[in-house]
Amino acid sequence: TKSAMDWARLVEQHQISVWSSVPAIVDMLLACAEPPQLQSLRLISQGGDYVKPNVITKLREYLPQARLFSIGGPTETTIWSIWHEITPDDIDMIPYGKAVKHNRFYIINEQGHHCPDYVAGTMVMSGVNLANGYLKDGVINQNDFDMITTPEGQRVRVFKTSDRGYFREDGEIIFSGRKEGYLKIRGVRMAAAEIELSL
């Protein structure tokens, strides 16, 4: 069902305890639900797009005991490859998070050099979650995949996302936008050029 009122009814009816969706869906749920309908929820994760602080504020108001998570990562890394448990300190900005085990994110500039803390650059990601490439017509295409040298001097294969961000001193990544020409629709990354070509 596409009705947020139905979602709220189903959460209450079946005493759903775990919710995971893109942030826009959580926002719709909160706009349509009565707080008592959602009281069974104990863990709420949002991923696929930027988590809005005002949604977190409302969730805390409705469900003060629930654990809240920001999860993410590109589809090319089996989707969930970064996470952050949202704390009371996360008020004006919700961190994108830290890489899950056996994965690693890097922030690089246009020259391919690693950015220091608080300097925004392109997010790239390596690790066990990394896809082999794009399969099209029986051929694996390596567009958006590359090799970089880590700060420790190792050569690793990475996926170059269209997302921009920076590291805080605690190692958490803060999302700071997307490269021009890319957008996300309902959690799916699209190149504007592909849409233009189809039109």
Side-chain angles (χ1 to χ4, degrees):
T1 177
K2 293 185 179 181
S3 166
M5 288 186 287
D6 286 343
W7 306 337
R9 181 182 52 76
L10 290 166
V11 167
E12 183 177 37
Q13 178 184 344
H14 297 286
Q15 290 295 286
I16 304 298
S17 60
V18 177
W19 181 283
S20 183
S21 71
V22 296
I25 297 292
V26 175
D27 204 1
M28 289 170 60
L29 177 69
L30 292 174
C32 295
E34 294 295 330
Q37 292 180 292
L38 306 179
Q39 293 309 301
S40 61
L41 292 173
R42 296 288 171 259
L43 187 153
I44 299 165
S45 65
Q46 301 175 69
D49 210 345
Y50 179 69
V51 178
K52 297 177 184 171
N54 64 326
V55 171
I56 296 304
T57 299
K58 200 164 197 178
L59 282 170
R60 286 184 176 131
E61 178 187 325
Y62 281 19
L63 304 163
Q65 303 308 314
R67 294 179 72 188
L68 309 176
F69 290 87
S70 166
I71 56 177
T75 303
E76 293 82 356
T77 64
T78 62
I79 304 177
W80 306 136
S81 53
I82 191 168
W83 74 286
H84 171 77
E85 182 163 6
I86 300 167
T87 71
D89 294 332
D90 300 321
I91 298 167
D92 298 324
M93 181 184 310
I94 309 302
Y96 193 39
K98 292 182 178 179
V100 299
K101 194 172 184 180
H102 305 300
N103 293 276
R104 188 165 176 192
F105 277 77
Y106 305 92
I107 309 289
I108 60 172
N109 62 21
E110 294 299 322
Q111 293 74 41
H113 301 130
H114 295 275
C115 296
D117 291 351
Y118 294 100
V119 174
T122 299
M123 293 185 213
V124 301
M125 188 259 174
S126 68
V128 298
N129 285 21
L130 197 60
N132 292 329
Y134 301 109
L135 184 63
K136 185 174 181 179
D137 298 328
V139 177
I140 292 184
N141 182 308
Q142 293 295 314
N143 283 356
D144 299 324
F145 293 86
D146 204 353
M147 297 293 292
I148 68 163
T149 302
T150 69
E152 298 78 26
Q154 294 179 304
R155 293 289 288 169
V156 296
R157 184 171 170 272
V158 297
F159 172 71
K160 298 181 293 184
T161 76
S162 58
D163 295 333
R164 293 181 53 76
Y166 60 87
F167 281 111
R168 287 193 316 204
E169 76 280 356
D170 61 0
E172 296 274 351
I173 293 177
I174 304 299
F175 179 79
S176 65
R178 288 196 175 83
K179 285 185 181 177
E180 191 174 334
Y182 287 90
L183 48 130
K184 273 212 173 170
I185 300 172
R186 297 188 186 105
V188 177
R189 182 178 65 100
M190 296 185 178
E194 291 178 27
I195 297 169
E196 290 168 4
L197 184 63
S198 293
L199 291 172

